[in-house]
Amino acid sequence: MAATMRDIPFDALQSWACSQLGLQSAVLEPLTGDAGTRRYWRLAQPQGSTIVVAYPEGEASQASHFAFLAHALAQQGIRVPEPLAIRDTWMLLPDLGDQPLSTVSHELRLAWYGKAVNLIAKIQQLNLPLPEAGLPFVKRKRDLFQDWYLSRHLGVSLELGQLDGIFSYLFDNFFVQPKVPAHRDYHARNLHRVGDELAVIDFQDLQLLPLTYDAVSLIRDSYVDLSEAEENTLITQAFSRQAFTKDPEQFRRWFDLTGILRQIKILGIFCRLHYQDGKSGYLNDLAPTRQKLLRVARRYPALDALVGLLEETP
């Protein structure tokens, strides 16, 4: 169960934050967002603001893990909110501001996205004992799509094993790729512009994933519509920044099919957030996600059954 404001000893948290910053008192303004069980506040002071974070009781290991990964990423030359102080389930983080990559102007977009692609290469060079995504990881994507998008949202009843061939095809593409350190949710809302740098947030789920996972998360983001020309430029750049394959067609196939598997999951998650959690704003993102999926899936005859199923439904 997610922590609520009442679950957190707010006065003690505020007092601790002030003591760490040498303040007598301060106002903590709550920040909203989908941060799971974590809660965030902005603490303003004359020399700049600080972010106060509280994890639920019992999640001190999660806070420590975040701090460990933040330090590792910073050592790799990646701008991250590295903790200023930590006490069990409480943290102070530097405030990176409110300029996510998703708000960059069209004129500057390709340059900033190029910086984001270059950061992927740095993440992939991390030398950390990370878990590797296995069969349960991809099966969950399948189940989210079938249970929440097809069944609950569209009312589609599948015959037993109807899409097994589709998922085998997508799973094979997932597992044939080299596995590298990946952010896992590398998109424009988790990348913030700080001066002329990009900073990475929400990296606590870092794990070993297919080579193209972070690149396709960025370039085929559900929240930003890049043109096909912009996509192609960035895919070419992502290919040039890796050393695992010299075949651009192989890389593009890995990229496209990884994107479809990820978008299948996203359609399911958006519906689950609506029906289970009451977060209906994500329904606005269903159509662009579906359109991106179909645009690419039509290029692959092995996905005709998936394309046909989606084209028959509203």
Side-chain angles (χ1 to χ4, degrees), residues 4 24 66 79 82 91 125 136 147 176 203 232 259 268 286 307:
T4 66
Q24 292 297 318
F66 178 93
R79 182 77 175 265
E82 197 169 3
M91 282 193 299
Q125 292 165 12
D147 296 345
V176 76
F203 45 78
N232 289 332
L286 285 177
V307 172

Side-chain angles (χ1 to χ4, degrees), residues 28-48:
L28 273 61
E29 295 291 339
L31 301 177
T32 59
D34 291 312
T37 59
R38 302 178 304 280
R39 293 294 178 265
Y40 293 83
W41 295 262
R42 175 171 280 119
L43 188 159
Q45 51 183 315
Q47 61 268 40

Side-chain angles (χ1 to χ4, degrees), residues 116-298:
V117 169
N118 289 339
L119 281 182
I120 293 173
K122 287 190 173 184
I123 293 172
Q124 291 178 351
Q125 292 165 12
L126 288 167
N127 183 17
L128 295 174
L130 298 173
E132 182 172 341
L135 195 57
F137 183 86
V138 292
K139 283 184 174 180
R140 181 171 179 270
K141 296 179 185 300
R142 175 200 64 192
D143 295 345
L144 283 164
F145 176 67
Q146 293 188 152
D147 296 345
W148 289 98
Y149 183 66
L150 292 182
S151 179
R152 181 68 182 273
H153 188 67
L154 297 181
V156 171
S157 297
L158 295 174
E159 297 178 9
L160 184 64
Q162 182 176 340
L163 295 180
D164 283 0
I166 298 296
F167 287 110
S168 292
Y169 183 67
L170 295 174
F171 290 0
D172 287 347
N173 176 76
F174 184 96
F175 289 112
V176 76
Q177 295 177 61
K179 300 302 181 293
V180 295
H183 181 284
R184 183 171 162 175
D185 208 15
Y186 194 81
H187 59 69
R189 293 184 180 179
N190 284 335
L191 297 164
H192 283 241
R193 292 173 290 141
V194 184
D196 62 355
E197 282 188 287
L198 269 180
V200 181
I201 66 170
D202 277 357
F203 45 78
Q204 60 278 342
D205 293 322
L206 265 166
Q207 65 182 124
L208 298 177
L209 285 167
L211 175 66
T212 59
Y213 200 91
D214 274 355
V216 80
S217 300
L218 172 73
I219 297 168
R220 297 222 172 107
D221 182 357
S222 291
Y223 309 119
V224 178
D225 287 322
L226 300 179
S227 69
E228 287 198 54
E230 288 172 323
E231 282 191 9
N232 289 332
T233 296
L234 294 167
I235 294 167
T236 299
Q237 181 182 345
F239 170 72
S240 71
R241 295 286 290 159
Q242 55 80 42
F244 294 92
T245 176
K246 295 182 179 180
D247 184 347
E249 292 185 6
Q250 181 184 59
F251 184 86
R252 182 60 180 256
R253 176 189 175 84
W254 287 349
F255 180 94
D256 283 347
L257 298 181
T258 299
I260 289 170
L261 183 61
R262 190 170 188 277
Q263 287 154 356
I264 278 171
K265 175 207 72 172
I266 290 169
L267 290 172
I269 284 181
F270 285 165
C271 292
R272 189 195 67 189
L273 287 168
H274 166 63
Y275 292 109
Q276 179 175 284
D277 302 331
K279 297 177 180 179
S280 300
Y282 289 101
L283 293 184
N284 298 326
D285 301 310
L286 285 177
T289 302
R290 175 185 167 116
Q291 289 165 6
K292 290 175 184 180
L293 187 160
L294 283 171
R295 172 168 58 85
V296 177
R298 292 187 184 107

